[in-house]
Amino acid sequence: MYKDIVSFIQEMYKNTDFIPLHEPRFSGNEKKYVNETLDSTFVSSVGKFVDRFEEMIAEFTGAKYAIATVNGTAALHIALKLAGVKDDDEVITQPLTFIATCSAIAYCNAVPVFVDVDRNTMGLCASKLEQWLSANTNLENGVCVNKKTNRIIRACVPMHTFGHSVEIDKIQRICNSYHINLVEDAAESLGSYYQGRHTGTFGKLGSFSFNGNKTITTGGGGMIVTDDEQLASQAKHITTTAKISHKWEYAHDQLGFNYRLPNINAALGCAQMEQLPGFLEKKRLLASKYQKFFINRGIDFVVEGENSKANYWLNAIILPNKTQRDEFLAFTNDNGVMTRPVWQLMNRLPMFSNCESGDLDNACWLEERLVNIPSSVVLN
Ligand SMILES: *Cc1c(COP(=O)(O)O)cnc(C)c1O
């Protein structure tokens, strides 16, 4: 039966050799725009493509402001800093995520607190968040304090797993009532919507990634989005070494970061953005083919939630148990079809094993069963 799946995937990609999980497609103006940066010599931190790429992301997502960064981890780091995350603060996130979410929290010298995910969305669960907050925190002088550790819970970072939106409206309401800043890790969800609104634009700040395996790529790159003018200008300032703008003087008014996306990478980004609507259409078509294939085969294919529209960045299936999952991983990978189990849960990693957490039943359940299957845009 796993043989059927391998044949189906090989047929879809017209490839019997090796099928990666997610590879980029450069079928548009990539070479033309990259060459323009070379011809103009503007390959580095200044240039028209950086500004244009920011405008394209702002327009596409509906965010008022977008600030390009060297990668998605840097974008999230700065977003958290601007949300006020400081030394010894706590930040709530989900244990089922890519390491970058927790790295960014740790770069602020803050500590993650793990709250369980929802089985359907695979992202932070609104009801478990509310339960954990009501049992473990007090509101003191307008800030949310962890009763056990006495630390301030400054922010909450839900992640839209594989492009499936969390119930972000509920999470937003809970965060507001507990005075917690909402920052969305939308690294995987460019082109995903909740109730018609683009993911990443519900929080005070949101971040995206354009790593090589994401829906669009700039080689490496990221973006901070926000509707707040003040935060946007601070984001631009501290990601560009906090240099005071002047024709020739070099002075800096605070500790900044060299996090600006180079123009040569942004050139790729502009070309990729032109193709994004087409990529999304093809990814959704691929997902619907997978969905039809998996019906009546005893394997659940993860579909978008009621109120959400997913980009289907990485398609995911749920095997009945860990034994079958391991058999599936071995068979597919041995036969040239790349598949991957979900990340090891963050609370199991040595750096985060002492962090506070609620019950993580759904995350543990998914960890044993979830597998990603090839999801690159299929070329005609
Ligand atoms: C890709 C990704 C990031 C950012 O990764 P970079 O490689 O630094 O661009 C952040 N969070 C999640 C969940 C991701 O999948």
Side-chain angles (χ1 to χ4, degrees), residues 146-160:
N146 183 332
K147 284 195 277 198
K148 196 165 132 203
T149 63
N150 259 324
R151 289 194 283 237
I152 295 171
I153 298 172
R154 193 75 67 180
C156 173
V157 188
M159 195 280 281
H160 305 289

Side-chain angles (χ1 to χ4, degrees), residues 184-337:
E184 289 172 79
D185 183 347
E188 305 183 352
S189 63
L190 183 67
S192 299
Y193 299 80
Y194 190 79
Q195 291 176 341
R197 186 164 155 194
H198 200 287
T199 54
T201 66
F202 291 79
K204 209 176 169 76
L205 299 128
S207 61
F208 293 96
S209 166
F210 313 112
N211 190 37
N213 63 345
K214 295 296 196 316
T215 300
I216 66 159
T217 186
T218 55
M223 194 75 73
I224 302 164
V225 293
T226 182
D227 281 348
D228 185 315
E229 189 181 353
Q230 201 91 26
L231 290 176
S233 89
Q234 283 173 34
K236 173 79 182 279
H237 188 58
I238 63 172
T239 53
T240 53
T241 71
K243 184 183 177 295
I244 303 164
S245 177
H246 192 280
K247 266 211 160 91
W248 56 83
E249 295 277 6
Y250 257 78
H252 308 259
D253 58 6
Q254 60 174 294
L255 184 65
F257 297 83
N258 181 14
Y259 276 179
R260 187 79 176 150
L261 182 72
N263 200 44
I264 191 166
N265 297 86
L268 268 181
C270 290
Q272 290 267 286
M273 276 306 284
E274 291 169 357
Q275 297 161 83
L276 179 59
F279 287 169
L280 290 170
E281 218 172 278
K282 288 186 171 139
K283 288 179 82 68
R284 291 179 59 80
L285 180 65
L286 172 64
S288 79
K289 286 184 181 168
Y290 271 135
Q291 188 185 350
K292 282 196 201 100
F293 176 85
F294 281 109
I295 285 174
N296 301 325
R297 277 188 162 85
I299 294 178
D300 271 345
F301 176 77
V302 178
V303 294
E304 64 197 357
E306 240 178 87
N307 294 312
S308 68
K309 184 173 178 191
N311 64 4
Y312 287 97
W313 169 53
L314 285 189
N315 291 294
I317 54 175
I318 295 176
L319 279 297
N321 55 52
K322 190 166 184 294
T323 313
Q324 288 186 42
R325 181 203 71 169
D326 291 342
E327 282 166 14
F328 179 84
L329 286 167
F331 186 86
T332 47
N333 284 290
D334 285 348
N335 285 281
V337 171

Side-chain angles (χ1 to χ4, degrees), residues 3-240:
K3 213 168 158 217
D4 279 8
I5 300 175
V6 165
S7 312
F8 176 74
I9 294 174
Q10 286 174 335
E11 211 162 290
M12 257 189 326
Y13 284 100
K14 301 184 178 64
N15 178 352
T16 49
D17 200 21
F18 173 71
I19 300 166
L21 201 61
H22 202 287
E23 60 182 347
R25 301 289 183 221
F26 300 121
S27 36
N29 287 316
E30 284 84 357
K31 285 182 183 162
K32 179 167 175 253
Y33 293 168
V34 168
N35 273 329
E36 275 181 45
T37 70
L38 298 176
D39 293 340
S40 72
T41 76
F42 281 89
V43 293
S44 196
S45 48
V46 176
K48 67 171 187 183
F49 286 111
V50 195
D51 301 323
R52 196 196 291 175
F53 186 43
E54 289 176 335
E55 283 161 23
M56 289 174 98
I57 291 286
E59 201 200 328
F60 185 85
T61 59
K64 279 204 181 121
Y65 307 96
I67 301 92
T69 59
V70 283
N71 57 52
T73 313
L76 192 57
H77 177 197
I78 298 306
L80 287 169
K81 262 184 100 66
L82 293 177
V85 177
K86 295 188 223 21
D87 291 16
D88 252 352
D89 282 347
E90 290 181 355
V91 177
I92 296 175
T93 192
Q94 59 205 54
L96 188 117
T97 185
F98 175 58
I99 186 70
T101 316
C102 293
S103 303
I105 295 168
Y107 296 162
C108 296
N109 295 320
V111 183
V113 172
F114 298 112
V115 169
D116 204 9
V117 295
D118 187 291
R119 264 202 208 181
N120 297 318
T121 69
M122 304 171 291
L124 191 67
C125 174
S127 57
K128 294 233 184 166
L129 175 65
E130 175 124 62
Q131 277 166 29
W132 189 87
L133 285 168
S134 84
N136 293 286
T137 66
N138 284 325
L139 209 55
E140 293 173 20
N141 305 318
V143 288
C144 182
V145 175
N146 183 332
K147 284 195 277 198
K148 196 165 132 203
T149 63
N150 259 324
R151 289 194 283 237
I152 295 171
I153 298 172
R154 193 75 67 180
C156 173
V157 188
M159 195 280 281
H160 305 289
T161 308
F162 309 136
H164 294 278
S165 175
V166 298
E167 292 183 307
I168 191 69
D169 57 336
K170 290 185 190 159
I171 291 173
Q172 188 179 37
R173 241 178 283 128
I174 297 163
C175 286
N176 283 342
S177 70
Y178 281 85
H179 298 219
I180 294 170
N181 293 317
L182 178 61
V183 176
E184 289 172 79
D185 183 347
E188 305 183 352
S189 63
L190 183 67
S192 299
Y193 299 80
Y194 190 79
Q195 291 176 341
R197 186 164 155 194
H198 200 287
T199 54
T201 66
F202 291 79
K204 209 176 169 76
L205 299 128
S207 61
F208 293 96
S209 166
F210 313 112
N211 190 37
N213 63 345
K214 295 296 196 316
T215 300
I216 66 159
T217 186
T218 55
M223 194 75 73
I224 302 164
V225 293
T226 182
D227 281 348
D228 185 315
E229 189 181 353
Q230 201 91 26
L231 290 176
S233 89
Q234 283 173 34
K236 173 79 182 279
H237 188 58
I238 63 172
T239 53
T240 53

